[in-house]
Amino acid sequence: MDDGYIKSATATVQNGVAKADGKLSVTTSSIHFEPYNKEFGLGPYELDRNAVVKVKKCWGKGGGILPVTSDGIELTLEDGSAYQFIVANPDDWLALLGR
């Protein structure tokens, strides 16, 4: 992680029905997710903050379909890939990561 550390918190990454708890960190140049259990295959992820073109709220889903929490954020990158995280205080994350 680079020297410009800004924020870090426990988060859950979700990809369809798969989820993994871990640590979401933001620095001046990157967004990093480190899963607590690496055997799920969901991370670690290192995303370039400059590659993020859209940040919006999303639903955290149970079983990949049933909305269970509104505390989700979705990051869309230049290449069209998207990453969803369930976080506490999603509005704070939107303010930090929004463009």
Side-chain angles (χ1 to χ4, degrees), residues 39-82:
E39 294 179 18
F40 289 140
L42 294 172
Y45 300 119
E46 185 82 27
L47 310 174
D48 181 350
R49 284 188 69 180
N50 291 326
V52 176
V53 295
K54 186 166 142 187
V55 181
K56 67 177 185 175
K57 278 186 144 180
C58 69
W59 285 92
K61 297 178 181 140
I65 55 170
L66 181 65
V68 293
T69 180
S70 61
D71 288 343
I73 60 169
E74 180 176 276
L75 310 176
T76 303
L77 305 184
E78 293 170 330
D79 65 5
S81 59

Side-chain angles (χ1 to χ4, degrees), residues 77-93:
L77 305 184
E78 293 170 330
D79 65 5
S81 59
Y83 296 84
Q84 294 183 341
F85 300 96
I86 301 168
V87 294
N89 305 311
D91 290 329
D92 293 348
W93 288 92

